[in-house]
């Protein structure tokens, strides 16, 4: 199954009275020709639009902190997902994972456990690491690594990060999937116990340029 992993933002919206917060951003795209420019609150939305196929059933794994603004932002997310479902003719289940608004180790390990419980053999994974507390993207990547290395036939298709200028309401969605596979290459090199791993990595980097 195609599974899209993302976090509910904690930014405030002007709708709840704040001066600056979660805004509609006109996102440009960098590094992935499959994604299209789009105005959205959530960088995962263009990813879903690009990879979910008409009539398909997908699952969205949404990490939702107990922070005070996430209920409102969750509603915004739900509205955008409903629009996608109508426009693309897909079925989308939102699997909500509640996580405490804490940055201690135990909270991160529980979140990791909760995410991997949702992952299965033969899944196709799409991940947005834009939102959440600072440890959240690390935990997301731990879960992706687990699925890719431990489960069977899991594909890591797309990992994105959304950078936004909330004053000008513009931003860029960067495809950073190659960083995941570079990390995989480093792990493979470590197991090979080669004498010149740095030169090999530099060679790979030149190939990617």
């Amino acid at each position: 199954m195609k599974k899209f992993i993302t976090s509910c933002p904690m930014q405030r919206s002007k709708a709840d009275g704040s001066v600056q917060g979660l805004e509609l951003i006109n996102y440009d795209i960098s590094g992935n020709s499959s994604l299209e420019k789009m105005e959205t609150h959530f960088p995962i939305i263009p990813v879903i639009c690009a990879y979910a196929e008409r009539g398909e059933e997908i699952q969205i794994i949404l990490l939702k902190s107990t922070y005070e603004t996430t209920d409102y932002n969750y509603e915004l997310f739900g509205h955008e997902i409903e629009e996608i479902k109508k426009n693309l003719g897909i079925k989308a289940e939102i699997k909500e994972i509640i996580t405490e608004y804490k940055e201690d180790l135990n909270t991160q390990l529980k979140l990791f456990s909760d995410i991997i419980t949702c992952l299965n053999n033969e899944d196709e994974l799409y991940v947005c690491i834009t939102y959440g507390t600072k440890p959240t993207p690390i935990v997301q990547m731990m879960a992706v690594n687990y699925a890719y290395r431990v489960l069977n036939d899991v594909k890591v298709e797309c990992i994105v990060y959304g950078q936004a200028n909330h004053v000008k309401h513009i931003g860029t969605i960067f495809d950073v999937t190659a960083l995941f596979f570079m990390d995989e290459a480093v792990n493979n090199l470590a197991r090979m116990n080669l004498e010149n791993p740095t030169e090999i990595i530099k060679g790979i980097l030149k190939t990617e340029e």
Side-chain angles (χ1 to χ4, degrees):
M1 175 181 276
K2 291 178 182 176
K3 295 182 178 177
F4 298 80
I5 306 172
T6 189
S7 293
C8 188
M10 293 179 289
Q11 285 88 341
R12 294 184 180 276
S13 168
K14 286 185 178 179
D16 66 15
S18 66
V19 176
Q20 180 178 343
L22 188 65
E23 302 286 352
L24 274 172
I25 301 296
N26 190 3
Y27 280 107
D28 201 350
I29 306 298
S30 177
N32 188 331
S33 60
S34 295
L35 305 183
E36 295 185 1
K37 297 179 181 181
M38 187 177 299
E39 188 177 54
T40 179
H41 295 93
F42 310 96
I44 194 68
I45 295 293
V47 180
I48 297 172
C49 291
Y51 291 101
E53 300 178 10
R54 182 168 295 276
E56 193 171 33
E57 183 173 350
I58 67 170
Q59 185 179 73
I60 301 163
I61 300 172
L62 181 68
L63 317 180
K64 182 171 173 285
S65 167
T66 55
Y67 195 68
E68 60 184 357
T69 58
T70 53
D71 285 341
Y72 179 82
N73 292 334
Y74 177 79
E75 289 183 21
L76 284 180
F77 185 73
H79 292 323
E80 291 202 31
I81 293 300
E82 287 302 316
E83 286 298 313
I84 289 178
K85 289 165 65 175
K86 292 177 186 176
N87 294 337
L88 297 183
I90 62 171
K91 297 179 181 179
E93 174 202 4
I94 299 178
K95 173 68 176 177
E96 189 178 346
I97 295 179
I98 302 296
T99 180
E100 292 292 322
Y101 178 57
K102 297 179 180 178
E103 298 183 357
D104 63 281
L105 181 60
N106 287 339
T107 299
Q108 311 315 316
L109 293 176
K110 183 180 185 306
L111 178 59
F112 170 69
S113 176
D114 290 343
I115 297 172
I116 65 173
T117 300
C118 300
L119 305 180
N120 302 104
N121 295 332
E122 301 181 5
D123 279 343
E124 295 181 18
L125 302 183
Y126 305 82
V127 187
C128 176
I129 58 172
T130 304
Y131 295 124
T133 62
K134 291 189 183 299
T136 302
I138 299 173
V139 176
Q140 288 175 283
M141 297 315 301
M142 287 168 54
V144 172
N145 275 316
Y146 164 84
Y148 186 73
R149 294 170 180 166
V150 177
L151 301 181
N152 296 321
D153 300 320
V154 169
K155 296 179 180 178
V156 179
E157 297 288 358
C158 184
I159 302 170
V160 299
Y161 168 76
Q163 172 270 330
N165 183 322
H166 292 282
V167 176
K168 296 182 178 180
H169 310 296
I170 58 174
T172 304
I173 295 173
F174 296 93
D175 188 313
V176 296
T177 315
L179 297 180
F180 171 82
F181 289 106
M182 178 55 67
D183 182 64
E184 183 68 12
V186 169
N187 279 281
N188 289 336
L189 283 175
R191 287 193 291 270
M192 296 170 69
N193 197 28
L194 300 174
E195 293 183 0
N196 56 344
T198 302
E199 293 304 316
I200 295 175
I201 288 294
K202 288 182 177 180
I204 294 173
L205 292 172
K206 287 181 181 179
T207 303
E208 295 294 326
E209 291 177 356

